[in-house]
Amino acid sequence: MNSVSMSNITAYGKDFSLLRNLAKDKFTKLCIYGCGVNGEVICKFMENCGKNIEFFIDKQAESREFTVLGKRVISLAAFFERQQNIKIIVSLDNQDSAVSFLLANGIDKKQIISPFKKAEKNIRLLSKDYNPQDYLNKIDRYGGWPEADMPAVTVFTILYNTPGWMLCRAIESILEQSYKNLKYLIIDNGSTDGSEKIIRKYASVDNRIQYIRLKQNVPWANRELLLTLKENMNTGYTAMLDSDDYYEKSFLQKAMSAQKRDDSDIVQVNTLTYAHGGFRYSYFAHYLGEDLCIQGNEKERYLMLRILNVPVWGKLYKAELFKNLIDMMLSYKTEYDRDRNFCLDISWMTYMALTGSRVSLCDEILHIRTWRPGSSEHSDNHGSKWLSSMVWSFEHLCKHSVDYEDSVVYEEAALMWLFSLPRDKYSLSDFRTSDLENSAVKEFLKRPICDKYRGERE
């Protein structure tokens, strides 16, 4: 059976439009329930909008007194005793249970603010035995290029042993783009499954596909792989797509329109992440309520608040910016240093966000990302390299004089992501000794969020 189906996904993301409007009320006092990463990001965003947060509420304050971002953190019991005339922004992901808890303890519903927006999205799913030939039989052979006034874009995918139906979905999403002037560069990183056969089928009917196969699987920061990517990125613009993700048909059209309108170096669209097979919760990254063009210190602030998101996918770039990133990575002479510092795309995106001048943010969900077991980000053997990438990113922010407090919020969010990924077994004892002996990594691991894992190693 070669079926194509759609699955409806309910997603939640931070509603920055709501928070921006909330900040306009100069008289209402606000506090935040939850002093984790969501709470910190919301607090910093509100301050940037000119609105002060009075304090945080968190269960951790029941056993110890502490501050977050210079704000006092009080316990739930202390807050319930006061019953202050103040509104509560609930920053916790488990909104329903948190709101129910507050209501059960006498808090008026009008005092509670949920800063998350709900969205519904249909996800394209193919059957596991999907045969691309059925799709190819229905399309015309593509052998031409559109009019010259459409700047060319290189979309690239680097893959290794991707489930066949996901790979088909990714390829078809590029070939079906309404913006036709593109080259699709597919670099097969030594796959040992049927990926080559699938790719060659598509390439036989669409000459926009350029297929390059590496003889063996290599790290992302491998010199040969980086040079292969740079040398074949011969258009003015580029975008990346993971082999198990896909873009909506209008992605390039809308991204290129935003680029032309704003003369931006980077265009970021909204990404929805869905949990394949119920692997993990689904969400979309943000909701701005409008398209924006950001630059200068504002660009840095949006990066720190994780509104300009750290992943390298879901974006269109001026190709020169991406080539400069590759040159910077290649300036590290040993493959170990490149692999250690640039395994995780937080370091890629930190470099490009700080180097680029203008960024366009498109509020529409045009990139669909898959969380699934077996993908590299859920593999234990990459953990220490990712930790080192975060350290490089943090040091790079400091070199660019980004506010230290903002940098800490940014990096601790990445640490929380790393140490909360679902794994059967995960501890610092699995990390490479050479990475953990790095003095910067040692200092990083002194942060409270790393206590559990540092303790396991000690």
Side-chain angles (χ1 to χ4, degrees):
M1 182 179 180
N2 195 25
S3 63
V4 180
S5 62
M6 304 297 286
S7 176
N8 185 266
I9 298 295
T10 300
Y12 296 87
K14 295 184 190 71
D15 189 346
F16 291 103
S17 177
L18 180 150
L19 293 171
R20 192 184 302 115
N21 288 331
L22 189 62
K24 295 177 182 178
D25 182 350
K26 303 301 180 183
F27 301 102
T28 300
K29 291 185 177 181
L30 298 171
C31 66
I32 297 177
Y33 179 16
C35 63
V37 173
N38 283 344
E40 292 179 348
V41 167
I42 291 169
C43 180
K44 293 296 293 184
F45 182 79
M46 297 298 285
E47 287 183 348
N48 289 332
C49 292
K51 183 67 173 179
N52 181 55
I53 297 297
E54 302 294 327
F55 54 83
F56 286 95
I57 309 167
D58 200 281
K59 291 182 179 179
Q60 297 179 66
E62 295 173 3
S63 58
R64 62 188 177 96
E65 293 184 0
F66 62 104
T67 61
V68 169
L69 301 181
K71 309 291 183 183
R72 196 158 50 93
V73 183
I74 68 172
S75 67
L76 285 161
F79 176 74
F80 292 141
E81 286 177 4
R82 296 184 182 191
Q83 289 289 311
Q84 299 185 37
N85 183 23
I86 192 169
K87 289 190 176 181
I88 310 162
I89 301 175
V90 180
S91 71
L92 306 176
D93 287 328
N94 54 334
Q95 287 283 295
D96 291 342
S97 59
V99 170
S100 296
F101 177 78
L102 291 173
L103 292 173
N105 281 272
I107 303 300
D108 192 300
K109 186 177 182 179
K110 295 179 180 179
Q111 288 181 255
I112 303 172
I113 299 170
S114 176
F116 292 86
K117 186 177 179 65
K118 178 181 178 180
E120 300 287 337
K121 188 73 175 178
N122 283 323
I123 305 299
R124 186 170 188 253
L125 300 174
L126 310 182
S127 61
K128 291 185 178 180
D129 59 350
Y130 182 80
N131 183 357
Q133 195 59 51
D134 292 350
Y135 167 84
L136 296 172
N137 289 339
K138 299 176 182 178
I139 64 173
D140 296 327
R141 182 179 296 274
Y142 196 92
W145 293 89
E147 54 271 22
D149 63 345
M150 295 175 66
V153 180
T154 297
V155 181
F156 70 91
T157 293
I158 303 172
L159 69 106
Y160 175 72
N161 289 355
T162 304
W165 71 269
M166 289 186 177
L167 178 57
C168 289
R169 183 178 63 178
I171 295 174
E172 290 177 15
S173 81
I174 300 304
L175 301 185
E176 293 177 345
Q177 288 293 304
S178 58
Y179 190 95
K180 300 298 183 184
N181 197 9
L182 64 90
K183 178 177 82 171
Y184 190 18
L185 173 62
I186 304 178
I187 301 177
D188 184 348
N189 193 4
S191 293
T192 57
D193 58 1
S195 296
E196 180 178 6
K197 184 178 180 181
I198 290 173
I199 298 166
R200 292 194 183 281
K201 279 187 177 182
Y202 287 101
S204 69
V205 299
D206 198 315
N207 69 356
R208 294 176 298 174
I209 294 178
Q210 179 183 3
Y211 177 50
I212 298 175
R213 177 172 171 79
L214 302 184
K215 294 180 180 179
Q216 61 184 15
N217 184 256
V218 297
W220 272 68
N222 173 268
R223 183 177 181 83
E224 177 190 1
L225 176 56
L226 291 173
L227 287 174
T228 298
L229 179 57
K230 180 184 176 182
E231 291 167 0
N232 290 281
M233 195 181 292
N234 49 13
T235 58
Y237 303 90
T238 192
M240 174 186 175
L241 178 65
D242 277 357
S243 55
D244 50 7
D245 298 348
Y246 71 94
Y247 284 121
E248 298 287 11
K249 294 180 181 180
S250 59
F251 162 67
L252 281 180
Q253 189 75 54
K254 292 181 177 179
M256 288 298 292
S257 294
Q259 193 286 321
K260 183 178 180 179
R261 180 190 67 224
D262 300 331
D263 189 26
S264 49
D265 297 300
I266 303 171
V267 178
Q268 173 183 295
V269 303
N270 215 338
T271 290
L272 180 142
T273 302
Y274 81 97
H276 178 65
F279 182 51
R280 195 174 175 177
Y281 61 85
S282 61
Y283 65 94
F284 70 105
H286 56 251
Y287 183 78
L288 299 171
E290 60 181 332
D291 293 345
L292 298 174
C293 177
I294 55 177
Q295 55 189 315
N297 292 336
E298 187 180 31
K299 171 177 58 68
E300 294 177 3
R301 184 164 63 246
Y302 271 64
L303 174 66
M304 294 303 96
L305 292 172
R306 304 180 72 82
I307 300 171
L308 174 54
N309 294 317
V310 295
V312 72
W313 32 249
K315 298 175 176 67
L316 174 81
Y317 306 88
K318 284 186 176 178
E320 200 61 35
L321 186 63
F322 217 107
K323 290 179 181 178
N324 290 340
L325 164 69
I326 294 174
D327 287 340
M328 186 273 295
M329 294 170 68
L330 290 173
S331 70
Y332 288 74
K333 299 303 182 184
T334 69
E335 183 164 311
Y336 170 76
D337 283 334
R338 291 193 301 273
D339 188 36
R340 179 169 64 89
N341 292 318
F342 304 105
C343 172
L344 182 62
D345 48 7
I346 185 174
S347 51
W348 293 32
M349 196 57 223
T350 299
Y351 171 84
M352 287 194 284
L354 296 180
T355 304
S357 298
R358 298 163 68 88
V359 180
S360 299
L361 299 179
C362 175
D363 210 33
E364 188 173 352
I365 298 174
L366 298 174
H367 173 233
I368 309 299
R369 180 190 179 216
T370 307
W371 280 82
R372 65 180 178 91
S375 60
S376 63
E377 67 186 293
H378 303 292
S379 303
D380 294 352
N381 61 344
H382 287 307
S384 60
K385 291 185 284 187
W386 287 351
L387 184 64
S388 297
S389 294
M390 293 173 193
V391 172
W392 184 93
S393 177
F394 183 78
E395 292 176 338
H396 195 66
L397 293 171
C398 294
K399 288 179 182 178
H400 280 73
S401 302
V402 173
D403 182 82
Y404 180 81
E405 186 180 83
D406 288 347
S407 302
V408 170
V409 173
Y410 178 69
E411 294 305 320
E412 288 198 347
L415 283 169
M416 286 188 70
W417 167 83
L418 175 62
F419 287 142
S420 65
L421 286 175
R423 294 179 172 93
D424 293 332
K425 178 175 179 281
Y426 190 77
S427 72
L428 290 182
S429 61
D430 299 318
F431 287 7
R432 298 189 302 193
T433 301
S434 52
D435 294 340
L436 295 176
E437 291 305 313
N438 180 288
S439 58
V441 173
K442 284 183 176 179
E443 188 64 29
F444 222 56
L445 287 172
K446 291 180 181 179
R447 299 187 181 192
I449 193 173
C450 302
D451 282 350
K452 175 183 176 183
Y453 302 94
R454 189 177 67 249
E456 287 181 0
R457 185 166 175 82
E458 294 171 352

